[in-house]
Amino acid sequence: MAAILYTFAYPGAHPRIRNNYALCLSVMFFLVSPIVEEMFFRGWMLCYMESKSFSKPTIILTISTMFYLYHWTPVIPFYSCLDTFALSVLTCCMFFKTRDIRYCILMHFVLNFMNSLIAFIPYLIS
């Protein structure tokens, strides 16, 4: 979706440059980002806090808050990233239940894809 949005945003760019840039953006957004973020927040941070004997609610709230703050920027209202907080709560609970980070990565991937589809709907309508 990032590739398609970039194509609409910069129609005058050389097609080869536009397509390569769009491909890189898409790979980063859909593949690398969910893997890296989940490995850090759920894979390393959650396990580290758990090894230090923090309670599960404390771990979930701390990691979810940090995940929210990582995605929030001062340009947007604070409530616009609450879905990210909810995603983090769900993935933390999922990790506690399954102990398999692959499910967290898959969920993160699917939600990124759905958010991109929602962002692309205005281009489909017009």
Side-chain angles (χ1 to χ4, degrees), residues 19-82:
N19 291 341
N20 289 341
Y21 183 74
L23 178 64
C24 290
L25 277 178
S26 298
V27 168
M28 287 294 294
F29 185 71
F30 289 118
L31 297 177
V32 177
S33 176
I35 293 170
V36 170
E37 289 176 10
E38 293 303 323
M39 291 295 290
F40 177 73
F41 286 103
R42 253 62 66 191
W44 179 77
M45 190 178 289
L46 187 141
C47 293
Y48 177 78
M49 289 182 73
E50 197 173 32
S51 72
K52 297 297 181 184
S53 302
F54 285 96
S55 67
K56 285 184 181 181
T58 302
I59 293 172
I60 291 170
L61 287 176
T62 302
I63 290 176
S64 297
T65 302
M66 293 178 75
F67 191 73
Y68 165 80
L69 290 173
Y70 174 75
H71 286 88
W72 178 74
T73 58
V75 178
I76 59 175
F78 75 94
Y79 54 83
S80 64
C81 285
L82 289 179

